[in-house]
């Protein structure tokens, strides 16, 4: 049943298709007849041809206009992008020899020195010794350390009075976030290595990591005043 119906449909639809495919040959047939008739028909045919050419011409110009429009649109995009790219480097660029990690620029020292020296060196670079926000950041930093034996001071040492680990920003270490391996005896400071974070005598010579936070630059034009 289904097949028969399909066949009938095909037959029906083929008829008009064949007819509609014949017009290209139509002018030839129509353009022949009595002389005056022929002339009129020829004029008519010329008209049809001119009309066709006009339609083609119009379509081409429409396509051309559209292309022009899309070119203009894309050039606006480019401008906007350029605007963004000219602004973003100021926000996201780290100084030479500093490495971008999330919203921070990090400086890995080549030299080794005491924790106190490291603290002072970072401050001369208008930065501070590294503070870890979370274990993920610790892992990121560890993955940037090229050699296992490289040890880097971070901004964490033991307070004399409370004998507690204290970040150089004044906050005490949350022991649930980072665990320090080693003694917490007097004059202890903390370094990071590819294998963990450890305490060591602050007078030991280690490399160190400074950080600069990338603060989004406030756009004065956007604040409106
Ligand atoms: C480019 O940036 C400036 C200032 O931030 C802004 O006023 C302007 O509208 C921006 N231009 C475009 C095309 O986004
Ligand atoms: C580091 O410097 C501070 C003062 O700037 C001092 O109190 C402390 O003893 C020094 N630590 C070491 C290990 O030299
Ligand atoms: C100090 O740094 C630690 C570690 O990044 C952070 O958890 C703490 O919130 C910071 N404290 C202040 C007052 O910024
Ligand atoms: C620990 O760091 C603080 C700054 O956060 C500093 O004043 C203090 O002298 C340091 N302790 C030692 C033993 O270096």
């Amino acid at each position: 049943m289904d097949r028969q119906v399909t066949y009938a449909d095909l037959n029906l639809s083929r008829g008009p298709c064949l007819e509609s495919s014949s017009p290209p040959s139509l002018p030839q047939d129509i353009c022949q007849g009595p002389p005056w008739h022929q002339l009129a028909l020829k004029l008519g045919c010329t008209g049809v041809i001119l009309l066709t050419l006009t339609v083609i011409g119009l379509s081409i110009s429409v396509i051309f206009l559209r292309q022009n429009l899309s070119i203009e649109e894309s050039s606006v995009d480019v401008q906007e992008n350029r605007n963004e790219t000219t602004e973003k480097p100021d926000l996201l660029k780290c100084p030479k020899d500093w490495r971008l990690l999330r919203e921070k620029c990090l400086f890995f020292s080549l030299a080794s020195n005491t924790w106190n020296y490291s603290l002072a060196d970072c401050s001369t670079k208008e930065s501070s010794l590294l503070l870890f926000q979370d274990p993920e950041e610790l892992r990121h930093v560890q993955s940037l350390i090229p050699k296992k034996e490289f040890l880097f001071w971070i901004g964490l040492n033991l307070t004399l009075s409370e004998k507690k680990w204290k970040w150089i920003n004044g906050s005490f270490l949350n022991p649930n976030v980072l665990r320090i391996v080693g003694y917490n005896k007097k004059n202890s400071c903390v370094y990071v290595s590819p294998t963990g974070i450890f305490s060591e005598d602050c007078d030991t010579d280690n490399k160190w990591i400074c950080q600069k936070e990338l603060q989004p630059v406030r756009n004065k034009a956007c604040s409106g005043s």
Side-chain angles (χ1 to χ4, degrees):
M1 272 296 281
D2 277 356
R3 272 191 194 167
Q4 278 173 350
V5 169
T6 315
Y7 188 70
D9 282 346
L10 280 174
N11 256 359
L12 275 177
S13 59
R14 258 186 203 168
C17 266
L18 284 172
E19 273 171 27
S20 63
S21 69
S22 57
S25 62
L26 215 95
Q28 271 188 347
D29 301 324
I30 291 173
C31 292
Q32 281 162 8
W36 67 270
H37 212 185
Q38 230 176 17
L39 184 71
L41 278 171
K42 267 184 185 165
L43 283 176
C45 285
T46 318
V48 166
I49 288 165
L50 281 178
L51 202 68
T52 316
L53 286 177
T54 314
V55 167
I56 290 171
L58 277 176
S59 326
I60 288 173
S61 51
V62 164
I63 290 168
F64 191 71
L65 275 177
R66 273 198 192 154
Q67 273 178 346
N68 261 8
L69 273 180
S70 61
I71 285 169
E72 270 173 37
E73 273 166 20
S74 61
S75 68
V76 168
D77 285 349
V78 166
Q79 266 190 339
E80 275 170 4
N81 284 345
R82 207 180 281 151
N83 223 5
E84 278 176 28
T85 47
T86 49
E87 279 173 24
K88 268 183 184 162
D90 289 330
L91 297 183
L92 295 177
K93 216 165 136 188
C94 287
K96 194 175 169 286
D97 299 330
W98 294 63
R99 303 178 68 166
L100 180 64
L101 181 79
R102 289 164 155 196
E103 280 88 44
K104 287 179 183 175
C105 295
L106 301 184
F107 174 82
F108 292 76
S109 82
L110 296 173
S112 295
N113 217 310
T114 63
W115 189 87
N116 257 4
Y117 181 94
S118 309
L119 185 72
D121 182 69
C122 289
S123 106
T124 64
K125 292 178 163 63
E126 290 174 334
S127 64
S128 79
L129 273 173
L130 180 60
L131 305 167
F132 287 122
Q133 214 60 54
D134 47 49
E136 200 197 342
E137 189 178 7
L138 168 65
R139 279 194 298 275
H140 266 119
V141 168
Q142 285 177 317
S143 73
L144 293 176
I145 300 176
K147 285 188 181 165
K148 255 197 181 147
E149 62 270 26
F150 282 6
L151 318 174
F152 294 89
W153 289 128
I154 63 170
L156 191 60
N157 71 5
L158 201 70
T159 59
L160 286 176
S161 44
E162 299 106 324
K163 287 246 173 159
K164 277 173 139 182
W165 296 110
K166 197 178 187 179
W167 294 105
I168 52 173
N169 66 6
S171 296
F172 287 102
L173 174 73
N174 178 352
N176 299 322
V177 177
L178 294 175
R179 208 173 60 84
I180 292 162
V181 180
Y183 306 108
N184 53 345
K185 58 179 189 206
K186 200 180 154 210
N187 203 24
S188 286
C189 292
V190 176
Y191 68 78
V192 61
S193 84
T195 52
I197 46 178
F198 304 88
S199 72
E200 196 172 28
D201 190 294
C202 298
D203 287 330
T204 314
D205 286 350
N206 281 325
K207 297 173 187 297
W208 62 93
I209 303 173
C210 304
Q211 71 168 34
K212 273 187 215 250
E213 306 240 9
L214 278 180
Q215 304 263 327
V217 174
R218 288 236 176 85
N219 196 336
K220 275 170 192 159
C222 284
S223 66
S225 51

